[in-house]
Amino acid sequence: MAVNVPPLPDLLPVAGVAIGTARAGVKASLPADRQDLVVMLLDEGASVAGVFTRNAFRAAPVQLAEAGIARGGVRALVTNSGNANAATAEPGLEDARRICAAVADKASLPAGSVLPFSTGVIGQRLPVDRIVGALDAAIADAAADGWARAARAIMTTDTVPKALSRQVSIDGATVTITGIAKGAGMIRPDMATMLAYIGCDAAVEPDCLHAMVREVADRSFNRITIDGDTSTNDSFVLCATGHSGPRIEDTASSAYAALRDGVADVATTLAQYVVRDGEGATRFVTVRVEGGADSAECLRVAYTVAESPLLKTAIFAGDPNWGRFCMAIGRSGLASLDTGRVNLFLDDVCVARGGLMADDYREADGARVMAQAEFVVRIELGRGDAAETVWTTDLSYDYVKINAEYRT
Amino acid sequence: MAVNVPPLPDLLPVAGVAIGTARAGVKASLPADRQDLVVMLLDEGASVAGVFTRNAFRAAPVQLAEAGIARGGVRALVTNSGNANAATAEPGLEDARRICAAVADKASLPAGSVLPFSTGVIGQRLPVDRIVGALDAAIADAAADGWARAARAIMTTDTVPKALSRQVSIDGATVTITGIAKGAGMIRPDMATMLAYIGCDAAVEPDCLHAMVREVADRSFNRITIDGDTSTNDSFVLCATGHSGPRIEDTASSAYAALRDGVADVATTLAQYVVRDGEGATRFVTVRVEGGADSAECLRVAYTVAESPLLKTAIFAGDPNWGRFCMAIGRSGLASLDTGRVNLFLDDVCVARGGLMADDYREADGARVMAQAEFVVRIELGRGDAAETVWTTDLSYDYVKINAEYRT
């Protein structure tokens, strides 16, 4: 049950991007009405940038996609759900290369211009023949309106598809940005969520696009956590086809800033959708830490709070338990934290002031805030001017159920 | 349901230690047949050492107990369950001081010779009058055979009392060691479990005892995790009354080593009992990491594996999911980990070799191991000679239930 994710809106085509989907049947248990294969075709001249998981067991497709982006000249992205092709060593790399070569062959693209992506179960070989067998159908299906079908085809434990579009005006030209993402568990991206693709029709120099994808990730996919578990396959790819607007060649330009903010808007919304659709989530919680000495320590406190199993179960129960908040803040490892300066707010309700439960705090007020489907936990550290925000969920029975039964 | 904790054994008295218990009714919901107050009286001349939580919100009693041990001359320890007296600032310190003063007064002990301990709900004031009102009964009850009653009185969400005795021979003299502990959730001691007390009748110089309590904690209470959440009240206290054996004055002596190993045996068993009684635990899991470059990186991998929500739910389900193990190993943040050298064993079953599922691995073999109430996860990193072991549990529906309903 996703927390306040709207139904899939109308998605705007991005000039220069065509997307086709098909059913490969990667997982035998794929429901009859679902697809699991996506081919995204880019016009010649598009810029592509990406950020990828820092997990040491990074999957075969992650390794190849990162190398392919560095080489340049990307013309297609091929994605399967149902199997992550991770912890598969050299055979996994060979499987991914075979699929990419088949896409290049069938779509008449240069060898080495195709990037692979996979998501699903870790540690099992890909059913390459089934995937290759479905490529003709996916390529034949490719069209400008394929974004919504793709958003559905990349889902695994997601309960809802996640996608949106925005338009921004840059130097008088209208630039269209459309993005899709998947992810619901194993979510603490150290670079990006499991899989997210954002396309735009702006013209962006590759170096600028690389800078932008990192800036945007640090505002969006690098600020979410469901269970603190970082996937082997996290990938966030940003494509700019160059069909609209001026050519962006300088990260200090106003055009760069305008596009970056538009892309960040899409990416942040998608990242929040991933949290809202978190496995077993019944709450969407914004954890805001203010007054830190620097950004790093704000993030340290925010993630400790966001990932504490005791706090997450208290949030599931709607229990405004100041003790668990102070436990989590206290164990986050900040050097010489003066607990006597720590304040805690739930939305506008002051729970603790100066490290102590506030005199005027009534538990009914805290319970009222935590009964909502979404609320803000705000922590003031009183050590400086830095602030950071992360988004997270509660820990419910259903989280355990979903993950205990994942492979059955 | 604790995993393989034996019924409370016969406990050996420790010469020089008398323990009394009583019912103060700290928590209104305390069952009618339970006590919640313990006074431990030590003969003059006993040495006392302790290790305490590193949580920044360390509770009032923790601050006073640590200072009291540093002052020396400890004659009594007073412990209540039901309320942690944590995040209570200056009023909490004053509450604890009042209780200590009352113990000193009623037991005719020097002012400042009493150490306070509390465990339970965080962020609420202690009911000092109820505690002081029960002190006479606790002191009158004090006897050499009070260990078992104390093990029960300090329980909070524990389902079973935890205690044991050992005897060691030191230079021909028999030394008796008896210990009790409580703890079931908010368990990742950074110094010691929530509360543990070990008494022995050996004679130990205070400096030696301080060294010993740290060495022992690092083999026992500092090697367990249930949920990664570090309490504000963790305390582990070691008392040596000096009634038996030679005086131990040198940490390099064989007498020191013999006593330390005996105390460590008691402490490790108690620490494992805490894990076995972990909130909602259905499995007791030993995580052994070998072949690390140093102890720190072995612990980093071991704790990441032991605390991964996805792995803990897979363990609950008895699902030998190699993908989740490699995810957790991979996200533990080791610099330049060569995943191609990582091996994984479940008991004697080799699951993965060289970073890849082993050719001869059959999932039925892994499932057979994980169907047991306890088993060993052994990870070989292939980077050096260091090794570390931590103990943990699974993450079950009941963990969520217990913590979601904790205060209701």
Side-chain angles (χ1 to χ4, degrees), chain A residues 121-354:
Chain A
V121 172
I122 296 172
Q124 297 179 9
R125 293 283 299 275
L126 275 185
V128 175
D129 291 343
R130 290 209 293 279
I131 292 172
V132 169
L135 283 175
D136 282 332
I139 291 167
D141 179 60
D145 69 352
W147 289 95
R149 294 193 298 285
R152 289 194 181 88
I154 60 176
M155 291 165 59
T156 53
T157 57
D158 307 63
T159 68
V160 292
K162 302 166 184 76
L164 78 158
S165 295
R166 290 281 184 272
Q167 287 185 320
V168 293
S169 179
I170 300 182
D171 295 352
T174 296
V175 168
T176 298
I177 306 166
T178 293
I180 63 174
K182 63 84 52 182
M186 206 180 278
I187 296 289
R188 174 172 173 175
D190 211 4
M191 291 301 284
T193 189
M194 296 189 75
L195 293 179
Y197 309 90
I198 297 181
C200 67
D201 52 10
V204 190
E205 278 295 314
D207 285 352
C208 280
L209 201 69
H210 284 290
M212 189 179 295
V213 78
R214 288 178 186 283
E215 274 196 74
V216 168
D218 277 342
R219 291 192 196 179
S220 57
F221 299 110
N222 284 351
R223 292 294 179 274
I224 61 175
T225 185
I226 290 173
D227 45 23
D229 278 331
T230 302
S231 150
T232 50
N233 288 54
D234 294 340
S235 305
F236 164 36
V237 176
L238 176 60
C239 310
T241 60
H243 284 254
S244 179
R247 187 153 188 90
I248 297 173
E249 298 177 321
D250 179 4
T251 57
S253 65
S254 63
Y256 175 91
L259 182 63
R260 179 203 56 205
D261 290 348
V263 172
D265 181 21
V266 171
T268 302
T269 305
L270 289 174
Q272 293 181 1
Y273 286 173
V274 168
V275 173
R276 291 172 186 282
D277 197 21
E279 288 170 349
T282 73
R283 300 276 193 283
F284 175 77
V285 182
T286 299
V287 180
R288 169 98 179 148
V289 177
E290 300 176 349
D294 54 34
S295 167
E297 73 172 36
C298 292
L299 286 173
R300 196 159 172 178
V301 172
Y303 273 114
T304 306
V305 166
E307 292 173 355
S308 157
L310 284 170
L311 251 182
K312 290 172 97 75
T313 48
I315 291 170
F316 170 54
D319 176 5
N321 190 332
W322 154 237
R324 295 195 184 173
F325 282 102
C326 79
M327 176 280 298
I329 298 165
R331 80 164 167 93
S332 58
L334 262 52
S336 62
L337 174 66
D338 179 356
T339 60
R341 299 176 67 91
V342 173
N343 303 328
L344 172 70
F345 298 83
L346 296 173
D347 279 356
D348 57 338
V349 174
C350 179
V351 176
R353 195 175 285 120

Side-chain angles (χ1 to χ4, degrees), chain A residues 18 39-45 73-78 99-115 139 142:
Chain A
V39 175
M40 183 181 294
L41 301 171
L42 304 177
D43 279 3
E44 197 168 354
V74 175
R75 296 296 306 283
L77 288 67
V78 57
I99 293 165
C100 290
V103 172
D105 179 49
K106 290 168 185 294
S108 305
L109 297 172
S113 71
V114 182
L115 308 182
I139 291 167

